[in-house]
């Protein structure tokens, strides 16, 4: 079964550093998403992306965050200057066009900011 | 997004059916009812979704009340692997808005 692949699985970074989290969505999916989950809390929506532009973003997704689809396969989330409170699991998801299909999530990247 | 209400936690015995309830009294006519689950240390996983009619797939069944103000996810024979947090989420099919998770129901399966 096709999978959404996320790398790295775990990243440790110093506060103030930039990080890029990478995702390879399923090849025939056109909608892409980033979510995050702080330890012990609920899964929070960050941003959705379609047709090479952001469709919707939450209040969490401020100027420190950006997304990009640099080529035909990768979808990245960049955090420009990480803060301690950015420590969380970050999940990428994708879906096909149409209401018959659900989201497929990756296994996540655990980001630890120290 | 229309809100959903789920119990915080439920317990089940292995190999018995499980009925996970969800209330969504403010559901609109274009809201689809989605269920996802999150196994420990994993990303959310799609389970099932429906609009008005009951739905079945290899993972579960979804029973939707006639007035659509509530729904029930049915796991026909719980296994230890079904221990997870189950999320009931409404998505507006007309506006194509994005999916927001609540706290879900934590299902514990006892051997």
């Amino acid at each position: 079964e096709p999978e959404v692949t996320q790398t790295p699985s775990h990243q440790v970074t110093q506060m103030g550093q930039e990080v890029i989290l990478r995702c390879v969505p399923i090849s025939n999916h056109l909608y892409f998403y980033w979510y995050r989950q702080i330890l012990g809390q609920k899964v929070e929506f960050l941003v959705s992306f379609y047709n090479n532009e952001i469709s919707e973003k939450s209040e969490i997704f401020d100027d420190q965050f950006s997304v990009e689809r640099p080529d035909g396969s990768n979808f990245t989330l960049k955090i420009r200057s990480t803060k301690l409170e950015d420590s969380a699991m970050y999940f990428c998801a994708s879906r096909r066009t149409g209401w018959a299909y659900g989201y497929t999530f990756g296994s996540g990247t655990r980001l630890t900011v120290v | 997004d229309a809100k959903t209400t789920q119990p915080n936690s439920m317990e089940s015995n292995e190999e018995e059916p499980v009925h996970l309830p969800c209330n969504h009294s403010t559901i609109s006519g274009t809201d689809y009812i989605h269920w996802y689950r999150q196994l420990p240390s994993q990303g959310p996983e799609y389970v099932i979704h429906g609009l008005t009619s009951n739905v079945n797939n290899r993972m579960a069944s979804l029973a939707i009340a006639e007035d659509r103000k509530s729904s029930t996810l049915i796991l026909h024979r719980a296994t230890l692997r079904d221990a997870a947090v189950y999320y009931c989420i409404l998505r507006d099919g007309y506006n194509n808005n994005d999916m927001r998770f609540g706290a879900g129901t934590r299902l514990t399966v006892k051997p």
Side-chain angles (χ1 to χ4, degrees):
Chain A
E1 198 165 316
E3 290 183 343
V4 172
T5 305
Q6 290 188 243
T7 54
S9 56
H10 190 186
Q11 180 149 2
V12 182
T13 189
Q14 297 269 352
M15 193 168 55
Q17 294 295 305
E18 175 184 286
V19 294
I20 298 176
L21 309 184
R22 291 183 164 78
C23 170
V24 179
I26 294 172
S27 61
N28 63 346
H29 287 193
L30 299 180
Y31 294 83
F32 313 117
Y33 307 87
W34 283 102
Y35 287 79
R36 79 171 186 190
Q37 187 173 32
I38 295 169
L39 187 64
Q41 298 187 24
K42 68 179 184 179
V43 178
E44 298 175 292
F45 169 76
L46 291 179
V47 66
S48 59
F49 192 87
Y50 171 71
N51 200 26
N52 285 320
E53 60 182 27
I54 291 174
S55 310
E56 189 176 352
K57 58 183 180 179
S58 72
E59 58 279 1
I60 302 168
F61 194 89
D62 61 21
D63 292 343
Q64 291 288 90
F65 292 88
S66 62
V67 290
E68 195 178 33
R69 189 155 163 79
D71 52 43
S73 59
N74 290 283
F75 179 51
T76 61
L77 174 69
K78 183 193 289 186
I79 309 175
R80 282 190 238 299
S81 178
T82 49
K83 303 189 281 281
L84 294 176
E85 52 265 39
D86 293 327
S87 295
M89 282 291 289
Y90 287 80
F91 295 108
C92 174
S94 67
R95 71 171 177 93
R96 291 175 65 173
T97 304
W99 284 97
Y101 306 104
Y103 290 34
T104 302
F105 284 81
S107 316
T109 293
R110 178 170 297 284
L111 177 65
T112 303
V113 182
V114 297
Chain B
D1 290 338
K3 290 193 65 156
T4 63
T5 305
Q6 299 178 253
N8 291 332
S9 61
M10 289 184 65
E11 279 191 357
S12 168
N13 294 316
E14 198 177 10
E15 298 188 8
E16 289 185 358
V18 183
H19 290 231
L20 295 161
C22 182
N23 287 317
H24 27 79
S25 58
T26 59
I27 191 170
S28 73
T30 53
D31 282 331
Y32 283 73
I33 302 159
H34 286 247
W35 284 82
Y36 284 75
R37 72 179 185 180
Q38 188 174 22
L39 303 172
S41 302
Q42 295 190 29
E45 175 186 28
Y46 168 79
V47 178
I48 201 167
H49 78 282
L51 183 62
T52 56
S53 304
N54 294 343
V55 185
N56 300 294
N57 66 21
R58 63 178 175 81
M59 288 181 71
S61 296
L62 175 60
I64 301 173
E66 204 169 318
D67 64 4
R68 300 209 323 126
K69 292 182 186 298
S70 65
S71 60
T72 303
L73 180 71
I74 302 164
L75 307 179
H76 295 285
R77 265 177 98 241
T79 68
L80 296 178
R81 198 196 170 275
D82 291 321
V85 179
Y86 287 79
Y87 301 97
C88 169
I89 302 168
L90 301 183
R91 276 193 71 209
D92 186 338
Y94 181 74
N95 291 315
N96 198 29
N97 63 329
D98 299 307
M99 201 163 58
R100 310 291 174 117
F101 288 78
T105 296
R106 181 173 298 279
L107 175 67
T108 303
V109 181
K110 295 184 288 184

